[in-house]
Amino acid sequence: MRKYYWLLLLLLLAIVSRWGSFLISVINHDESTYIVIADEMLRGEVYLREVIDTKPIGIFWIYAALIKLTGGSILALRAAAAAVVGLGGWGLFLAGRRATGSERVGVAAGVIYIFCCSLFTFYGVSPNTEIFFNLFTIAAVALAVAPRVREGTEAPAWHWPVAGLCLGLAFIIKPFAAAEALAVGLFLVWYYGRQRAVGKVLGYGMLLVSAFALPLVAVFAYYYRLGLLEQFYFYSFEVSSAYPIELPWYLRLKYMGDYLLRFSPFVIIGAGTLVQAWRLRSKEKIRWELYLLLQFALVTVVVLLTGKRFGHYQIQLHPVIALFAAVWWAPGSTVFGRLRHPGLYRRLPVIVGGLALVLGIGHYFNYAKKRDEPRQIAAYFKDKLAPAETFFLLNGFQIAYHLVDRPVPTPYVHSSLLFLDHHVRAFQIDELAEAERILQDASVRYLVGRKVDPNADTPLTQRLMEDFHQVDTIGDRLLVYQRR
């Protein structure tokens, strides 16, 4: 029953660490896109037909479920995301405890993961796909890998298909989860290969791969039934390949160096435990840490291949860093001995709780001073729109559709898709045709845009302005246009 005790504590730690970020309507526009597209799907719209983005459908199904469960308030959705982070921490608690036999290692892994996800805006505070698919990859490692790195432990065969299913679910949220899937598959081959159990390599390998494929087949069947395979292929593969980003190798190293420096205390502690394990020739620790190094390397390759330097991509490394550093708490570990002062150990729960509280309060004051223009937009339109009327936002603030509970008058929910040239080219959008689509929608009564926004000066906007004129302002930075 102690594992459920730690589940509750880790969920509480995640809430306390992140509560200060629950109130502002936008931390990152990707989260807004997940919510608004999920709204459209709940209204009966079909993803990749009436609403369009490049992300796999899994994240939108998750947000549709969360909106149903929470009622859709931003505070409740952020609390749900915090709960997902807490569940991920609990999964790491189970993985760390199974791999080392030490409850302290498991607790440390869970706590470190929650702090990693709750420190920096674009490395976990903003809910993004990574915190959701991490939950499934963590579960797969806790089931398939962690129990098998210790000598003399027996683990049931059902772990492999369940782990495969978890990895497949992670993949339909974001294909980057292929890195963890490969790591688990290579571990399976090594684990049974060293026992010369060829039958188990083949049998369990088939179970793992078959279960992994189930979510992928389900998505394919979904679009096949709707007759949308051509659109599925175009938005899943061709659009992504249309972004030619060739980042020089030294900038890719800088990108990784920035991540390692941000979380350097955990990286240093993990490296110290690895060195000590090699010196003491501790087979179990070496096996576990070598697996973690393999997963770290594969995730790093996947992240760097994109040629992009988004911080949220590296959230995928948080579970490895947490498990790696947590081994410092394993029995027999003596590296960095000055940190093992008995008084410090006794005060550790108070220190962790205090840090979480300070972090939550810090987020509150950080976000409280930021402008919340989507809420201003929502307040402005609260009494101005008839039930069947809506508005169109020029380059931004898409969460306002959710706050006002109005449909989006374009398939391209993420505003940048219509207003940044490289997105317009990649998606092959006819801007004038899209403008005509919006103008032909009689329910679109208003436009809202910034007073100064060079990115919004596009053929689409120029065509819309022929039929709209300015009538009001919202705050000191937004203009309101009404249909002539």
Side-chain angles (χ1 to χ4, degrees):
M1 292 299 293
R2 280 184 63 84
K3 63 182 179 181
Y4 299 112
Y5 164 80
W6 287 113
L7 169 61
L8 292 174
L9 285 184
L10 290 169
L11 288 171
L12 179 62
L13 182 68
I15 296 291
V16 172
S17 300
R18 299 168 66 91
W19 71 269
S21 67
F22 291 178
L23 302 177
I24 193 166
S25 62
V26 177
I27 302 176
N28 179 282
H29 285 295
D30 282 350
E31 178 202 20
S32 302
T33 302
Y34 309 149
I35 294 170
V36 175
I37 288 181
D39 282 339
E40 296 297 295
M41 292 168 66
L42 289 171
R43 291 189 181 100
E45 306 289 80
V46 174
Y47 182 58
L48 300 186
R49 187 174 67 192
E50 286 90 12
V51 281
I52 293 168
D53 202 84
T54 56
K55 293 176 177 62
I57 195 170
I59 188 63
F60 305 112
W61 279 338
I62 287 173
Y63 264 93
L66 291 179
I67 289 169
K68 279 288 191 180
L69 289 171
T70 64
S73 81
I74 299 298
L75 187 150
L77 290 170
R78 294 270 170 77
V84 169
V85 171
L87 284 172
W90 188 61
L92 292 174
F93 161 78
L94 296 175
R97 189 178 69 170
R98 288 173 177 175
T100 64
S102 169
E103 186 175 78
R104 289 192 306 182
V105 170
V107 173
V111 169
I112 291 169
Y113 177 72
I114 289 169
F115 278 135
C116 284
C117 289
S118 306
L119 283 170
F120 303 105
T121 298
F122 298 113
Y123 291 82
V125 175
S126 172
N128 223 307
T129 51
E130 286 77 10
I131 66 170
F132 293 96
F133 80 70
N134 274 356
L135 182 61
F136 293 104
T137 58
I138 287 168
V141 171
L143 279 172
V145 179
R148 292 172 171 84
V149 296
R150 295 173 61 197
E151 291 286 357
T153 56
E154 292 292 334
W158 64 263
H159 282 180
W160 293 112
V162 176
L165 181 61
C166 288
L167 292 167
L169 291 170
F171 190 88
I172 67 166
I173 298 171
K174 191 169 186 178
F176 282 21
E180 288 89 345
L182 179 57
V184 171
L186 290 174
F187 176 82
L188 181 152
V189 173
W190 171 83
Y191 181 75
Y192 293 111
R194 63 192 285 270
Q195 301 175 17
R196 301 183 186 279
V198 177
K200 289 184 177 180
V201 171
L202 297 176
Y204 293 158
M206 286 296 295
L207 288 175
L208 181 73
V209 172
S210 299
F212 173 82
L214 287 176
L216 283 67
V217 171
V219 171
F220 182 87
Y222 172 75
Y223 283 109
Y224 175 79
R225 183 175 61 84
L226 293 170
L228 294 173
L229 285 183
E230 184 177 346
Q231 292 89 329
F232 174 71
Y233 178 80
F234 176 74
Y235 292 113
S236 300
F237 301 102
E238 290 190 14
V239 169
S240 299
S241 64
Y243 290 100
I245 299 176
E246 295 185 6
L247 198 65
W249 65 268
Y250 60 88
L251 289 180
R252 299 186 192 220
L253 291 180
K254 182 179 180 295
Y255 171 57
M256 284 306 300
D258 178 55
Y259 175 82
L260 295 174
L261 284 172
R262 284 175 185 270
F263 301 100
S264 56
F266 307 128
V267 174
I268 292 169
I269 287 175
T273 59
L274 177 61
V275 170
Q276 186 180 56
W278 277 102
R279 286 178 177 174
L280 299 177
R281 297 185 179 180
S282 174
K283 291 183 179 179
E284 291 179 359
K285 286 183 184 176
I286 290 172
R287 287 176 193 157
W288 181 229
E289 293 190 343
L290 284 178
Y291 170 79
L292 296 177
L293 285 175
L294 170 67
Q295 184 170 315
F296 182 91
L298 292 174
V299 171
T300 299
V301 169
V302 167
V303 168
L304 291 181
L305 280 176
T306 65
K308 298 177 183 178
R309 290 187 288 176
F310 297 141
H312 65 83
Y313 284 6
Q314 294 173 316
I315 297 169
Q316 193 174 352
L317 291 166
H318 288 355
V320 179
I321 292 294
L323 289 168
F324 201 49
V327 179
W328 186 78
W329 277 267
S333 180
T334 59
V335 68
F336 303 121
R338 292 185 180 181
L339 297 177
R340 300 178 186 278
H341 191 278
L344 184 62
Y345 255 54
R346 286 194 297 271
R347 296 185 183 92
L348 206 53
V350 176
I351 293 171
V352 169
L355 286 173
L357 188 60
V358 168
L359 197 55
I361 294 171
H363 287 318
Y364 174 79
F365 284 108
N366 177 48
Y367 292 113
K369 65 185 180 185
K370 295 181 183 294
R371 293 175 183 263
D372 199 342
E373 288 167 316
R375 290 200 190 278
Q376 292 179 334
I377 294 170
Y380 178 85
F381 284 120
K382 182 179 179 182
D383 299 319
K384 284 186 170 57
L385 292 173
E389 291 180 336
T390 188
F391 51 93
F392 178 63
L393 297 164
L394 302 172
N395 193 29
F397 316 120
Q398 58 261 35
I399 195 64
Y401 294 116
H402 174 77
L403 297 176
V404 186
D405 192 21
R406 288 295 190 276
V408 188
T410 176
Y412 305 101
V413 173
H414 197 301
S415 58
S416 67
L417 301 187
L418 286 174
F419 293 95
L420 295 182
D421 286 343
H422 63 283
H423 287 314
V424 171
R425 288 194 301 270
F427 280 77
Q428 300 178 15
I429 298 171
D430 184 333
E431 295 173 88
L432 293 178
E434 194 58 33
E436 294 300 332
R437 181 214 295 264
I438 294 167
L439 290 171
Q440 289 170 17
D441 185 349
S443 69
V444 181
R445 184 179 174 189
Y446 294 98
L447 307 178
V448 180
R450 298 175 181 86
K451 286 184 178 179
V452 180
D453 187 357
N455 289 326
D457 185 15
T458 68
L460 179 145
T461 305
Q462 292 165 11
R463 175 65 188 93
L464 292 176
M465 289 305 172
E466 295 175 11
D467 285 42
F468 283 80
H469 67 286
Q470 184 187 338
V471 294
D472 208 347
T473 61
I474 300 175
D476 60 352
R477 298 203 301 181
L478 300 177
L479 301 177
V480 181
Y481 306 85
Q482 188 171 354
R483 192 184 286 268
R484 295 183 189 277

